[in-house]
Amino acid sequence: MGTFKQRYWHTYEFYEPGGPIILMTPGESNADGYYGYLTNRTINGLIAQQQNASTVVLEHRFYGLSNPKPDLSVESLRLHTIQQAVDDLVYFTKTVKLPMPRGDQVTPDKSPWILIGGSYSGALTSWTMVSRPGIFWAGYGSSGVVEAILDFWEYFEPIRLHMPANCSADVQAVIAHVDETFTCKNATAIQALKETFGLGNMTHLDDVAGALRNNLWDWQSLQPSTGPGGLFYQFCDALEVKDGVNAPATGWGLDHALAAWGFYFKNTYYAHLCNDLDPETCLGTYDPNQPYWTDISIDNALRSWSWIVCNEEGAPKGHPSLVTRLVQPSYDLRQCQLMFPEAFPEPPKTAINKTNEVYKGWDVKLDRLFFANGRRDPWKDATISAARLQHIVQTTPNQPIYLSDGFHCSDLKTLDGQANSTIYDVQVAALKYFKTWLAQWKPSNAPHTPSNVKVGPAVAEKVATVYNGVYKPINAFFKSVG
């Protein structure tokens, strides 16, 4: 098939000959700007400083300017799969000549390689070590969404449980009212509710109700170092502070919360979300002619990511919900058809079971793989720290699992360790483990020639049948939080 160029960034500030090589891909985004992951402002750099390592950030295929093809058409994106991303990482370790002393002598048989990632790339760390064993001596997965889940309503559970109680109560009350109103036959009440949020001209009620999830998605941008000006906190203040007084834990109730949310969304938040676009263009999902669906130019991370994912949320009946139940997985599977009509003449049949079987998902058991997750991370229940795994999956010395009070990928940044002692404890523990693991490495541990690095026949057969990867809520990515 030929070759293509992948961009990478590199430093050997802490490196001494024979030291490890620490590799990270940011995953689903243009990698330009991720230079901090070369420094000791992150766990990458802390490990590098301790172990005299070199750090590398590698851009993922089909993101930024690292493209095997000149566009993001369906035909091009057929080269965009999890396994191909895995193989890119392996190929890099074997062929790169880093611009540093002895940088041409750092293949995995001569130097220990460490793979680090967060969120999707945290999962990619696990999946790579599963499907291509023996290349990376150790790995670190932060908020790694290792389990592919289609109906992932649990995304909003950590938000509901950890957001201010008054805000949670009022959001639930408003959403219950929205769902009740939009499923009744009272056209006057429906129109009035749409206009409350400034969305009176929108056609489809699932688009209107779904748009309100944007305020909840802002939670994923929070970190322990986030100040009171964080967008999610602004939203809750708009609902819960009245005449300078905070609401009690039960909230102000439906009437005030509905009016306050509508006022904030219409007069403050909408401009942040949509700039000068009209609501249908910005938030509608039914017009197949919108450039949003048809733009195939490169460096369009949303399109590249959408190829890999297609699923969504909405809590089951009887369970408290912060978001509408009008939006179910079919809502986003339909959007796959709009973006990739040539590939999906019918709604795609998600292959999450095969993905989890091939890459082990929650069943992963590896040597020298460190998992770090956060209690306040909305993705927690797709990680190895999912609530349903409690008392089932246990931390071990070979595969330690740490859970801090952090948010999404909080443990990757030194600043958040300084802001929260539980995150700091995770970072300290990681440094201890990597010190121990790297002391065990010897060149003879890993004869990494192509003939010695194979995917077993069963795995290879399954990989060939896997449709393009893990399925995250696609609309979470619409807000650039995936």
Side-chain angles (χ1 to χ4, degrees), residues 231-250:
L231 204 54
F232 186 88
Y233 298 141
Q234 292 180 36
F235 164 65
C236 279
D237 284 349
L239 271 61
E240 304 307 324
V241 179
K242 182 169 62 173
D243 300 325
V245 178
N246 289 328
T250 54

Side-chain angles (χ1 to χ4, degrees), residues 249-269:
T250 54
W252 293 117
L254 175 61
D255 291 344
H256 174 80
L258 177 60
W261 193 349
F263 184 86
Y264 173 76
F265 192 95
K266 180 166 52 177
N267 297 293
T268 300
Y269 190 75

Side-chain angles (χ1 to χ4, degrees), residues 165-245:
N166 50 13
C167 191
S168 178
D170 279 341
V171 167
Q172 291 176 55
V174 170
I175 291 303
H177 174 72
V178 168
D179 282 1
E180 181 179 1
T181 301
F182 282 178
T183 53
C184 77
K185 303 298 183 181
N186 188 331
T188 301
I190 290 172
Q191 185 62 29
L193 185 54
K194 288 162 60 178
E195 291 177 354
T196 296
F197 294 95
L199 305 177
N201 292 330
M202 292 194 72
T203 302
H204 299 277
L205 297 182
D206 51 358
D207 283 343
V208 176
L212 303 183
R213 297 169 300 168
N214 284 279
N215 294 118
L216 282 304
W217 285 329
D218 289 329
W219 175 272
Q220 188 168 313
S221 298
L222 295 180
Q223 293 296 347
S225 54
T226 302
L231 204 54
F232 186 88
Y233 298 141
Q234 292 180 36
F235 164 65
C236 279
D237 284 349
L239 271 61
E240 304 307 324
V241 179
K242 182 169 62 173
D243 300 325
V245 178

Side-chain angles (χ1 to χ4, degrees), residues 138-409:
Y140 184 108
S142 173
S143 296
V145 287
V146 294
E147 183 78 1
I149 304 172
L150 175 59
D151 192 4
F152 189 50
W153 62 268
E154 293 101 327
Y155 176 91
F156 292 97
E157 276 296 274
I159 306 176
R160 184 180 69 85
L161 295 172
H162 293 283
M163 68 191 289
N166 50 13
C167 191
S168 178
D170 279 341
V171 167
Q172 291 176 55
V174 170
I175 291 303
H177 174 72
V178 168
D179 282 1
E180 181 179 1
T181 301
F182 282 178
T183 53
C184 77
K185 303 298 183 181
N186 188 331
T188 301
I190 290 172
Q191 185 62 29
L193 185 54
K194 288 162 60 178
E195 291 177 354
T196 296
F197 294 95
L199 305 177
N201 292 330
M202 292 194 72
T203 302
H204 299 277
L205 297 182
D206 51 358
D207 283 343
V208 176
L212 303 183
R213 297 169 300 168
N214 284 279
N215 294 118
L216 282 304
W217 285 329
D218 289 329
W219 175 272
Q220 188 168 313
S221 298
L222 295 180
Q223 293 296 347
S225 54
T226 302
L231 204 54
F232 186 88
Y233 298 141
Q234 292 180 36
F235 164 65
C236 279
D237 284 349
L239 271 61
E240 304 307 324
V241 179
K242 182 169 62 173
D243 300 325
V245 178
N246 289 328
T250 54
W252 293 117
L254 175 61
D255 291 344
H256 174 80
L258 177 60
W261 193 349
F263 184 86
Y264 173 76
F265 192 95
K266 180 166 52 177
N267 297 293
T268 300
Y269 190 75
Y270 182 85
H272 163 80
L273 189 64
C274 297
N275 295 315
D276 57 355
L277 295 176
D278 65 89
E280 198 67 61
T281 301
C282 178
L283 301 169
T285 65
Y286 283 85
D287 180 0
N289 298 313
Q290 287 186 0
Y292 179 85
W293 306 117
T294 60
D295 179 13
I296 63 171
S297 58
I298 64 169
D299 199 15
N300 180 350
L302 186 147
R303 184 175 177 87
S304 295
W305 184 239
S306 297
W307 179 257
I308 295 291
V309 298
C310 275
N311 75 307
E312 188 54 77
E313 69 293 291
K317 291 182 179 179
H319 192 92
S321 183
L322 299 177
V323 297
T324 179
R325 293 181 174 90
L326 298 180
V327 172
Q328 296 294 328
S330 58
Y331 180 83
D332 291 314
L333 296 178
R334 171 183 58 79
Q335 294 177 45
C336 294
Q337 292 178 270
L338 290 173
M339 189 168 283
F340 309 111
E342 307 97 312
F344 303 120
E346 302 292 336
K349 296 180 180 179
T350 55
I352 57 174
N353 291 335
K354 289 182 179 178
T355 303
N356 292 329
E357 182 181 0
V358 170
Y359 299 107
K360 302 307 180 186
W362 285 328
D363 296 323
V364 61
K365 292 180 176 62
L366 292 169
D367 289 337
R368 299 179 299 278
L369 175 57
F370 188 98
F371 282 115
N373 301 306
R375 289 186 179 87
R376 292 182 282 181
D377 179 9
W379 292 105
K380 180 178 75 71
D381 287 309
T383 75
I384 204 74
S385 297
R388 69 183 75 180
L389 300 182
Q390 190 175 9
H391 308 307
I392 298 175
V393 176
Q394 303 293 328
T395 185
T396 69
N398 285 333
Q399 187 176 286
I401 303 169
Y402 278 74
L403 185 64
S404 73
D405 290 333
F407 295 88
H408 192 56
C409 299

